[in-house]
Amino acid sequence: FDISQCGICKSPLQDPVEMPCEHICCMPCANGWFQDQNVCPVCTKEVGGDFKVKISEKCSHALEIYNSFRNRCKSFFMELVSVYCFGEQLPNPDLVRKFIGYVIRDEKRTEDFTPFGGQRIDVTPVIRSYILQQLLVVKGREKEVYKHLEEYLHGARGLAEQREHLIEVCVLCVQCMEDVETVKLLKAKKGGENTQIFLASKELERTLRTIHVHQNSVNVDCLRDIAGIRAALDVLSTYLGEDFVKNFKCLKDLPKCLETAKDLCSNSNRFVLQLFLLKQLVRHDPNGFNAVKERCKRNELKWIMPPQSEEQDKTPDIFLVHHENYHTVREAVGKAILTSNIDDLNVVIQDLQAQPPARSCYVLLALFREITTRFALTNKEDRSPDGVS
């Protein structure tokens, strides 16, 4: 049987279900298919009246071995690329072009990149992002890399059928570019915290000058601006925590960096950059959103909180009568929404000194509060949290 992909959705297998004909599909796909079908979705053979949709232990074991082998192949491939393609010598132009083809998932140019027959492109972005990061840090090849990426972006722009693929590649590029910039800023910290802040400020100043030029366009310069802003704001957020007052006095470039960030955020639409900075502040602060909100009442930081937060403050929370447990859950829900991560929320819920039904009640009340408060905002554009993610 083919353990590489689901016979229905063609995605990597999860919770494999084996049919009598030995074809395999995912449990969710099988549940949907066999609601009104009694034949195999691959070969259309009847599965029989006694067939039940259940996870196959045999296939699960085979899938575990297969995935383990694939992971080892990925590690070997990345090690091979690192040593022989990005070693002492620069990769030649043909190899750079080949690697870019892999990054943008050009299957015609990368069919021999994998030992897994018929699949060509690795379905996960692990290797693709690794290769792109390696290309971006090779001095002497940056312009060439950006040129190939620009060619792809230019060709895919305006093509409806390429939209999802274009978005995926853009996100991958921004993440890799951001990682490269973050590494540079982290290395700069070795020269002192003020050196790091100085470089972050310079990056924000650069993007402030170019943001209007690249706005509403899809090109490499735009992606570089986004990545640079994200990396710089993330660094800035680490200096706006509990030690902000001390940092503001001791780090001479912090006030300038903060002012540049303010100017940059005022030029963005729908408070996207403010929300990103706020998200980073919450992520770095162990005391949660309320602590960040309180700190942002300082004159230097007031601009970080979007205007809709003031409207939320005017709406009394009648559920506070449920005391500490509800307040704890509400704080965790707010943080989960801001950070797009529910891991901490799950931990908070599990640690509550309350019975399971009460825990569920606190979560529902907190979610109800969040939704109803958001829809009470006068600015309809601020009702949707999509700008936070």
Side-chain angles (χ1 to χ4, degrees), residues 93-378:
D94 288 338
L95 190 56
V96 171
R97 193 159 44 249
K98 184 92 168 178
F99 280 142
I100 290 295
Y102 194 90
V103 170
I104 65 175
R105 293 175 64 179
D106 183 352
E107 298 192 1
K108 294 178 182 178
R109 289 154 60 181
T110 57
E111 57 187 4
D112 56 347
F113 257 49
T114 172
F116 302 96
Q119 293 189 34
R120 298 178 181 174
I121 297 295
D122 192 291
V123 291
T124 66
V126 175
I127 294 180
R128 293 166 59 210
S129 60
Y130 173 78
I131 289 176
L132 182 55
Q133 285 187 43
Q134 292 294 313
L135 288 170
L136 291 174
V137 297
V138 175
K139 293 183 179 180
R141 285 284 185 267
E142 303 100 319
K143 291 183 179 179
E144 194 175 339
V145 172
Y146 290 139
K147 176 186 174 184
H148 289 304
L149 288 175
E150 190 64 68
E151 287 175 356
Y152 163 75
L153 295 175
H154 180 76
R157 201 178 302 141
L159 298 177
E161 66 274 12
Q162 289 274 16
R163 181 174 173 79
E164 288 188 10
H165 186 211
L166 176 62
I167 292 173
E168 182 207 12
V169 172
C170 286
V171 170
L172 183 70
C173 289
V174 168
Q175 289 174 339
C176 292
M177 292 173 180
E178 182 184 352
D179 288 343
V180 171
E181 290 300 320
T182 299
V183 169
K184 291 179 183 178
L185 291 171
L186 287 174
K187 287 181 178 178
K189 195 173 183 179
K190 294 180 180 179
E193 292 180 333
N194 196 69
T195 303
Q196 187 183 41
I197 281 291
F198 173 78
L199 290 180
S201 181
K202 285 294 183 184
E203 183 62 24
L204 292 176
E205 288 175 12
R206 181 189 70 79
T207 54
L208 183 60
R209 291 192 298 268
T210 60
I211 192 170
H212 293 297
V213 178
H214 305 139
Q215 206 167 25
N216 300 321
S217 60
V218 181
N219 53 48
V220 169
D221 289 332
C222 176
L223 300 183
R224 291 178 66 187
D225 282 352
I226 295 171
I229 290 171
R230 288 172 62 93
L233 289 181
D234 186 32
V235 166
L236 175 61
S237 69
T238 62
Y239 293 95
L240 306 182
E242 293 177 329
D243 297 330
F244 167 68
V245 176
K246 174 186 172 184
N247 292 334
F248 197 77
K249 291 179 179 178
C250 298
L251 301 175
K252 64 177 184 178
D253 287 306
L254 182 56
K256 183 180 179 182
C257 186
L258 199 57
E259 190 62 30
T260 306
K262 179 181 178 181
D263 292 340
L264 189 61
C265 289
S266 66
N267 280 279
S268 68
N269 297 325
R270 289 189 60 190
F271 314 105
V272 172
L273 296 183
Q274 282 169 267
L275 288 171
F276 175 78
L277 179 56
L278 183 60
K279 174 180 175 179
Q280 302 311 106
L281 285 170
V282 174
R283 186 168 67 89
H284 292 305
D285 196 314
N287 298 314
F289 176 68
N290 281 346
V292 172
K293 195 172 183 179
E294 187 65 28
R295 194 178 310 120
C296 287
K297 291 180 180 179
R298 296 184 59 88
N299 289 331
E300 303 92 341
L301 304 177
K302 276 184 178 179
W303 59 272
I304 296 176
M305 297 300 297
Q308 59 264 40
S309 64
E310 296 179 7
E311 293 188 49
Q312 289 181 344
D313 285 342
K314 297 174 185 176
T315 307
D317 188 350
I318 60 175
F319 302 133
L320 284 176
V321 295
H322 295 288
H323 304 300
E324 190 61 31
N325 278 341
Y326 166 72
H327 184 271
T328 301
V329 172
R330 190 190 73 171
E331 176 76 9
V333 167
K335 184 173 182 178
I337 291 173
L338 272 175
T339 60
S340 304
N341 189 326
I342 64 170
D343 292 342
D344 290 341
L345 174 59
N346 288 331
V347 172
V348 167
I349 294 172
Q350 292 300 320
D351 290 344
L352 277 183
Q353 298 298 316
Q355 294 297 318
R359 295 177 187 175
S360 300
C361 183
Y362 293 138
V363 173
L364 289 173
L365 289 175
L367 290 172
F368 180 80
R369 156 75 181 178
E370 182 67 32
I371 294 170
T372 54
T373 302
R374 190 171 295 279
F375 272 84
L377 298 178
T378 55

Side-chain angles (χ1 to χ4, degrees), residues 5-108:
Q5 62 182 13
C6 170
I8 297 177
C9 67
K10 307 303 179 184
S11 298
L13 269 174
Q14 291 182 336
D15 299 330
V17 174
E18 184 181 10
M19 286 154 280
C21 54
E22 295 191 345
H23 287 122
I24 305 172
C25 60
C26 302
M27 171 72 86
C29 293
N31 283 329
W33 176 266
F34 288 109
Q35 280 184 355
D36 53 7
Q37 301 282 348
N38 194 38
V39 297
C40 169
V42 180
C43 65
T44 68
K45 288 183 180 179
E46 289 193 9
V47 296
D50 58 344
F51 173 72
K52 293 182 179 180
V53 175
K54 62 179 181 179
I55 297 175
S56 167
E57 292 185 9
K58 178 181 69 173
C59 293
S60 294
H61 180 64
L63 181 61
E64 186 178 342
I65 295 174
Y66 173 80
N67 287 336
S68 176
F69 174 63
R70 287 208 66 151
N71 288 334
R72 291 198 299 272
C73 285
K74 289 177 188 177
S75 299
F76 172 74
F77 180 77
M78 288 189 284
E79 183 70 21
L80 191 70
V81 167
S82 177
V83 173
Y84 292 100
C85 300
F86 297 99
E88 297 179 359
Q89 295 182 342
L90 293 176
N92 63 59
D94 288 338
L95 190 56
V96 171
R97 193 159 44 249
K98 184 92 168 178
F99 280 142
I100 290 295
Y102 194 90
V103 170
I104 65 175
R105 293 175 64 179
D106 183 352
E107 298 192 1
K108 294 178 182 178

